[in-house]
Amino acid sequence: MWELCGRSEDPFLNKEQFFTGLYSLDSEPEQAETSEASLALAASRNQRYKRIVRRSSRLQVASSNSTTKISSTALESIRSTSIQAFTKNISTAAPEPVVSENNINMADSTPDISAVTTAPSTAPASLECTPRHLPPPESSRILPVHTKVAKRKRTPVVPAKKQIFGGMYFYFIPNDIKNPVRKFRVQKADEHGGFCLKEWREQDITHIIVDSKLKYSDVLKSLRREFIPDHIAIVNDTYISDCLAFARILNHDQFQYKVAGQPSTTENSFLLPQPHSPPLSSTPSETPLCDQQSSSATTQSLHIRPQLSKRANDTPSSAAGDRPTDSQLAVEAELKASVTTDDLVSQQLAAELLSTPGPSTTQECEVKDELDIMIAEAVRMGDLPLDDDISAPDDGGTSSDEEPIRAVKRKKPVARTGNSKWQDKFQCMHANDGKQQEGNPNARTIEILSEMQKYYEMTKDQWRSISYRKGISVLRKQTKKICTAAEARKLPMIGESLAKKIEEIVETDRLRKLEYAQLEPGDVALKLFLGVYGVGPSVAARWVQSGYKTLDDVVKNVRLTASQKVGIDHYQDFASRIPRDEVKRHGDIVMSTAANLDSQLQLQIMGSYRRGSKDCGDIDIMITKPGVSAQEISGLLDELIERLFEIGFAMCGLAMSRGRDDGSKWHGASKLLDVPTWRRIDLLVVPWDERGAALLYFTGNDIFNRSMRLLASKKGYGLNQRGLFKDILRGPQRQKLNDGTKVAGDSEEEIFEILGVPYRKPEERIC
DNA sequence: TGGCGGTACTG
DNA sequence: CAGTACC
DNA sequence: GCCA
C-alpha cells in the first residue's frame, strides 16, 4: 500500500547501524566512570575527542572549496570517534500501516507536494520503460518542479566534477519528501547529478534508498514485490550523505548501508543486534536502545503533544509534590483584586476553592518517546529557515527576540569623545534594537549565518560562535545588501572567512558547509544534550561519545546531578519560550510576595524582558532596597524563596548561594497555577549602591556585557555586576592584581558616561 | 600568535 | 578544580 | 570565527 510509504520516521534515529563493528575500549558505558582512574581516562578521552573534532573541522573548512581527500579522512576520524557502539535493533519496528502518521507529526513543516502528485499506481507492475540513461522527464522526479532547488539554476550549484551521482537513479522509500531530512537528501542527490525518481522504473533504478526505520520486508511490501532485481542496490539512507561526505560513490555492499532484514549475499550477522559482543557487562546501547526502539514503534503514532511532564513528580529534587501548592492563587487573586490578603486563612480558602489542577503532571498519557519528537523537531527546525530555535537561550538578537513596541528609530546624537576609531569596534558603541530585521536586504545571509552560529554554539568553538554573532550583528545593521566578499570584508568583525561565506550565500543562496553539518547525527544528539540544564559542552560530548542518542539513554545509564535531573525532566519546559505577559505574571507574584515580606523592596524584571523581547528564555528578577547594603539583605532572599515555595510558586531550586550569607542569587524554577510549564527563574538581590551595575549586568545581552567589560578593561577599568572599578592593574596574563576602587555602581548612566559609551536604552542593547 | 567578560555555584 | 551557569 |  502506498500509505505504507507515508509512515512517519525519524531519520536521525537511524544512523546507529553505522559502525557496529567498531566496538572498542572507548565505548565503555558512562556509569563505569566512577573511580578516579576512569574519570581521568574519560577526561583524556574527551580531550582527544575534542582535539580531533576541532582539527578535522578545520580541515573541512580548509578543504571545502577544493580538495576532498583531506576532508574525507577528517570525517572518518570524527565518525569513528563519535559514532560508535550503536547497535539498535531496527527490525522491531512493526510496519503496520498507520495511515498518514506523517500528517500528525509533520503537518506543519513541509507541505506535502509529492504525495499528492505521486500516484499510488506506481507499483512495479507498470514497467513501461524509458530508455536507460536518459534523464527522466521533470515530471518523474521526486522533487516537484517548483521546489526551491528545481527553480534554482541547476548547473552552477554543484560543479561538474562533484556530480558524483551522475547516471545514477534513486528510488526513495518512502517515496516522498515529507520528511525534511529526506527531502534534503533528495535535493542533495539531485544536485549531485543523481536522478530521484518518484515512479518505479525498474530498468532505470540503480539504487533504492530505504529509510532506516524500515525493514527489508517493508521495502518489498511497499513495492509489492517478492524480490528486488539484482541490478538494483538497496541501501539505507545514510548512503547518500556518506557518498557526499566522501565525495565519491561508496561501495553499497558495505554493511553499514544494509537495510535491516535484507537477505545479504555475503554475510548478515550484522543484522542482528550484536548480542555477542557487548563491550562491558551492561552495554548502555543495548537494552535501552532496543527498548526504546520498540516502544517507539508502538507509541509513536499515539502521542501528539510532546509533554514531558511524566517524570515531574518522582524527581526527588522537585519539592513540588508535597508542597501545599495553590496558595499561589491567593497571591494572584490578591494581585487582581488588589486586596491585601496576608493571612493563612484566605490562602487556605483559596486553595480549597481552586485546588483542582493536579500540579504539573497534566497528563499521564504514557509519553514514551518525547525524544523522538524533540529530535524530529530539532531536525525540522534545523531545516526550516527562520526558526526560532530551541537552543538559543533567550537573547542573541535571533529572530524572535524583539518587541514590536519599538516605535522610534532613534538617531542618536552621539556625543563621541575624541578617540574615535578603535572603540568603534565594540558592539556596545552602537545602538542595536534589532528592529532592522524586517526588510533587511541581508536577511537571507543573516539567516544562514545564524544557522552556522547555532551550529558552532555547541562545543565546537565558543569563539567561533561568538564571532559569527558579532558578524551577524554587524550585517544586520547594514542598510544595503552586501554582495561580494570584498564588500563584506570592509565591515568590522567580518574577516576573510565570513566574507567568503557571505559571498557564497549571496551567489548560491546556501552554504554547503552548513548543509553537511546538519546531517551529522552526533551533532543532533549533542544539540539535544546541550539543551539540558546543567549539561555543557563537556558532558554533552562525553555522552555522545558514550553512544547515547536520547535522553532516555542518558537517564538509564548515567548518574545525573540534581540540576541535570530537573533539566531532563523539564527539558521541554525549559526549552520553550515564555510569552512576555507570562513573564510579567511571574514577576507580579514574586513582587507581591516580596512586598508582604518588606514593603520597601523594589523589584524589577530584567533580562530580555527589560530589553523588550516579546518572549523570553527565562525570568530574571532583581531585588533591591533603598539604602540597604549587602549585610542587611543577607537573610532576605532565603525568606523570600521560602515564601515562594509555600505558595506553590517555586518548584525547585537549581543553584543558590551557599556558604556566605552574602548570598544574593537564586536560580530555580517556578510555575503559574494555570500554566503547567515550569519556567526558569533567576532572582538576584543586590545592595542599593550596586543597583546600577547590577541593572547593567542583568539586562545584557551577553555580547553587550562582554563588549562593555572588554572596553572597560582596555581603558584600565574593571566592570562587573557590582560596579565599575578604576585603577585595575593587570598582570602578565591580564590577571587582575588588585580590586581597584569603585567609581560607579549606582546608576547605569554613570557607568556609560565614564566609559565614554553613549547611553543605550535596554532595547538597544541587543548585539 | 594569543586573546576573546567577569563572576558564582556545583560536585 | 573543571564544568556550568547568568547576563 | 576576528583582531591586535
Side-chain angles (χ1 to χ4, degrees):
Chain A
M1 296 301 277
W2 180 255
E3 285 80 6
L4 262 183
C5 306
R7 297 190 74 250
S8 165
E9 76 295 325
D10 183 350
F12 273 83
L13 287 178
N14 62 33
K15 298 287 176 55
E16 298 73 44
Q17 277 196 324
F18 228 78
F19 280 85
T20 17
L22 287 184
Y23 269 126
S24 75
L25 292 176
D26 275 350
S27 57
E28 64 203 323
E30 181 88 5
Q31 64 186 20
E33 292 173 3
T34 45
S35 70
E36 299 274 331
S38 50
L39 274 176
L41 181 71
S44 75
R45 222 195 298 144
N46 188 27
Q47 287 307 316
R48 201 184 77 231
Y49 167 73
K50 278 187 191 161
R51 274 201 307 276
I52 291 176
V53 167
R54 170 184 283 230
R55 196 182 68 230
S56 46
S57 74
R58 259 195 215 131
L59 286 173
Q60 253 179 293
V61 181
S63 64
S64 64
N65 281 333
S66 48
T67 335
T68 49
K69 273 176 285 184
I70 308 176
S71 77
S72 60
T73 51
L75 272 173
E76 204 152 20
S77 59
I78 289 181
R79 286 229 158 91
S80 55
T81 26
S82 65
I83 319 169
Q84 45 182 252
F86 288 148
T87 34
K88 188 160 80 174
N89 185 358
I90 296 269
S91 63
T92 47
E96 285 314 308
V98 185
V99 181
S100 73
E101 212 171 319
N102 250 337
N103 295 335
I104 296 176
N105 287 333
M106 316 289 285
D108 52 342
S109 63
T110 331
D112 180 15
I113 305 157
S114 65
V116 180
T117 55
T118 311
S121 63
T122 51
S126 58
L127 294 180
E128 24 46 73
C129 305
T130 345
R132 193 97 196 245
H133 297 314
L134 270 185
E138 279 299 321
S139 64
S140 65
R141 289 174 183 273
I142 194 172
L143 276 177
V145 187
H146 49 283
T147 297
K148 271 193 210 159
V149 169
K151 186 165 48 182
R152 227 174 276 133
K153 36 195 174 113
R154 290 185 63 85
T155 33
V157 171
V158 175
K161 71 173 179 182
K162 300 245 174 162
Q163 305 267 334
I164 57 174
F165 294 138
M168 292 169 65
Y169 291 72
F170 299 125
Y171 185 87
F172 281 76
I173 297 179
N175 196 11
D176 61 52
I177 52 173
K178 286 177 190 172
N179 181 293
V181 176
R182 185 164 55 252
K183 178 179 176 184
F184 180 66
R185 291 200 176 98
V186 170
Q187 286 182 3
K188 282 288 155 210
D190 189 69
E191 291 161 8
H192 288 80
F195 295 112
C196 301
L197 302 178
K198 73 179 182 189
E199 288 168 22
W200 179 262
R201 300 216 310 259
E202 179 154 328
Q203 311 238 321
D204 289 340
I205 291 170
T206 58
H207 293 72
I208 300 177
I209 313 292
V210 182
D211 189 278
S212 289
K213 279 228 166 134
L214 300 182
K215 296 184 297 182
Y216 185 75
S217 55
D218 300 326
V219 175
L220 296 181
K221 220 183 291 179
S222 150
L223 298 172
R224 292 196 198 143
R225 292 187 66 98
E226 302 291 321
F227 65 95
I228 306 293
D230 280 344
H231 76 271
I232 299 180
I234 306 173
V235 292
N236 67 29
D237 54 12
T238 62
Y239 183 71
I240 297 275
S241 34
D242 274 10
C243 289
L244 291 172
F246 289 84
R248 59 192 158 89
I249 302 302
L250 302 171
N251 177 9
H252 57 76
D253 274 336
Q254 290 184 85
F255 67 87
Q256 64 265 41
Y257 306 125
K258 297 285 187 189
V259 173
Q262 182 174 353
S264 169
T265 51
T266 52
E267 46 95 29
N268 56 12
S269 58
F270 67 91
L271 294 173
L272 306 174
Q274 300 263 342
H276 55 290
S277 65
L280 281 178
S281 49
S282 60
T283 307
S285 45
E286 194 120 19
T287 38
L289 284 181
C290 294
D291 178 42
Q292 182 238 344
Q293 165 68 24
S294 58
S295 74
S296 143
T298 51
T299 59
Q300 188 171 1
S301 59
L302 301 179
H303 55 258
I304 298 173
R305 279 283 54 128
Q307 288 288 347
L308 189 70
S309 43
K310 170 184 54 166
R311 274 187 291 260
N313 278 341
D314 50 47
T315 304
S317 55
S318 72
D322 42 302
R323 286 283 174 182
T325 181
D326 296 331
S327 58
Q328 175 186 348
L329 277 175
V331 175
E332 283 212 272
E334 174 183 345
L335 284 170
K336 289 223 167 75
S338 63
V339 174
T340 313
T341 51
D342 188 35
D343 56 330
L344 285 171
V345 181
S346 62
Q347 288 184 9
Q348 284 172 352
L349 194 65
E352 280 174 23
L353 285 176
L354 287 142
S355 61
T356 35
S360 75
T361 313
T362 42
Q363 55 213 93
E364 186 60 31
C365 63
E366 176 47 326
V367 182
K368 170 59 182 183
D369 271 0
E370 332 77 34
L371 303 174
D372 279 341
I373 296 185
M374 290 189 301
I375 291 179
E377 206 157 286
V379 168
R380 197 190 75 222
M381 295 183 136
D383 186 72
L384 255 55
L386 256 186
D387 55 80
D388 46 350
D389 53 272
I390 293 182
S391 54
D394 73 22
D395 57 51
T398 17
S399 52
S400 62
D401 208 30
E402 286 342 277
E403 168 67 14
I405 283 179
R406 286 293 306 139
V408 204
K409 183 72 174 273
R410 52 172 54 255
K411 186 70 182 173
K412 53 173 52 339
V414 174
R416 180 148 310 163
T417 49
N419 36 358
S420 49
K421 286 276 166 60
W422 66 277
Q423 55 186 28
D424 273 1
K425 299 238 169 173
F426 288 78
Q427 287 81 15
C428 62
M429 298 302 290
H430 306 285
N432 199 355
D433 62 359
K435 183 65 192 74
Q436 309 87 325
Q437 72 207 18
E438 118 274 336
N440 186 307
N442 296 297
R444 175 64 179 166
T445 311
I446 289 169
E447 178 188 322
I448 293 183
L449 288 182
S450 296
E451 295 291 325
M452 284 300 289
Q453 182 262 314
K454 271 179 235 155
Y455 172 69
Y456 279 127
E457 201 165 50
M458 36 191 201
T459 223
K460 297 280 188 279
D461 257 319
Q462 55 161 318
W463 302 120
R464 215 171 293 241
S465 173
I466 286 171
S467 288
Y468 270 91
R469 282 179 69 179
K470 289 176 177 174
I472 289 166
S473 175
V474 166
L475 210 54
R476 197 183 284 123
K477 281 184 292 204
Q478 302 306 311
T479 51
K480 293 166 64 177
K481 174 147 182 164
I482 307 299
C483 293
T484 69
E487 212 175 338
R489 194 57 239 276
K490 291 183 193 143
L491 301 172
M493 307 311 292
I494 293 185
E496 288 299 330
S497 179
L498 273 181
K500 265 166 43 183
K501 287 191 174 63
I502 289 173
E503 193 172 272
E504 181 185 343
I505 292 169
V506 170
E507 281 184 4
T508 68
D509 197 38
R510 42 214 284 277
L511 195 55
R512 290 172 49 230
K513 194 169 182 324
L514 173 65
E515 296 174 357
Y516 292 124
Q518 285 177 339
L519 277 184
E520 286 296 328
D523 287 339
V524 175
L526 201 59
K527 201 170 169 185
L528 175 73
F529 295 150
L530 282 172
V532 176
Y533 182 94
V535 174
S538 178
V539 171
R542 207 165 70 222
W543 287 355
V544 168
Q545 195 185 7
S546 296
Y548 305 129
K549 206 103 173 64
T550 68
L551 293 184
D552 270 350
D553 299 345
V554 170
V555 166
K556 285 171 187 157
N557 295 291
V558 180
R559 183 186 186 103
L560 299 164
T561 68
S563 297
Q564 289 165 347
K565 283 198 190 94
V566 178
I568 289 183
D569 289 344
H570 295 275
Y571 190 97
Q572 302 257 303
D573 287 358
F574 295 162
S576 60
R577 308 279 303 175
I578 314 169
R580 188 177 176 84
D581 65 327
E582 192 183 327
V583 175
K584 177 76 163 55
R585 289 181 59 201
H586 280 256
D588 286 343
I589 290 177
V590 178
M591 283 183 201
S592 78
T593 308
N596 285 340
L597 226 54
D598 182 336
S599 60
Q600 293 208 34
L601 290 178
Q602 293 184 5
L603 281 79
Q604 188 163 356
I605 307 180
M606 309 289 292
S608 46
Y609 182 89
R610 184 166 184 243
R611 295 199 303 272
S613 297
K614 64 171 190 283
D615 51 42
C616 308
D618 64 3
I619 302 149
D620 311 298
I621 296 175
M622 186 180 101
I623 305 167
T624 187
K625 177 178 173 181
V628 157
S629 67
Q631 292 291 343
E632 310 170 59
I633 290 186
S634 54
L636 210 146
L637 185 60
D638 287 338
E639 276 182 75
L640 178 59
I641 304 299
E642 199 175 335
R643 287 287 290 146
L644 291 176
F645 269 115
E646 279 171 15
I647 66 173
F649 173 74
M651 305 310 288
C652 73
L654 293 168
M656 43 269 258
S657 305
R658 65 175 175 192
R660 315 179 29 148
D661 57 354
D662 176 84
S664 59
K665 91 162 32 163
W666 182 78
H667 294 174
S670 59
K671 182 181 96 58
L672 298 177
L673 290 179
D674 55 340
V675 180
T677 316
W678 288 22
R679 305 301 195 181
R680 281 278 299 105
I681 184 166
D682 299 339
L683 304 184
L684 185 67
V685 177
V686 304
W688 184 246
D689 59 358
E690 293 175 3
R691 67 191 184 285
L695 218 47
L696 191 60
Y697 156 69
F698 224 18
T699 301
N701 66 6
D702 62 338
I703 294 287
F704 183 84
N705 284 352
R706 287 164 182 261
S707 172
M708 286 283 280
R709 290 171 184 216
L710 185 62
L711 178 65
S713 83
K714 296 246 157 124
K715 291 194 168 188
Y717 293 91
L719 176 61
N720 60 26
Q721 48 266 63
R722 317 208 351 223
L724 179 63
F725 298 84
K726 199 185 174 164
D727 297 330
I728 298 283
L729 299 178
R730 294 200 131 91
Q733 242 49 31
R734 74 184 304 99
Q735 286 179 335
K736 238 181 3 185
L737 297 180
N738 67 344
D739 286 347
T741 52
K742 188 159 87 166
V743 294
D746 276 354
S747 75
E748 289 185 305
E749 286 86 350
E750 205 179 346
I751 296 173
F752 276 104
E753 188 177 333
I754 295 175
L755 290 178
V757 177
Y759 178 74
R760 234 165 261 333
K761 296 167 71 175
E763 314 89 70
E764 295 168 333
R765 302 180 196 169
I766 301 160
C767 301

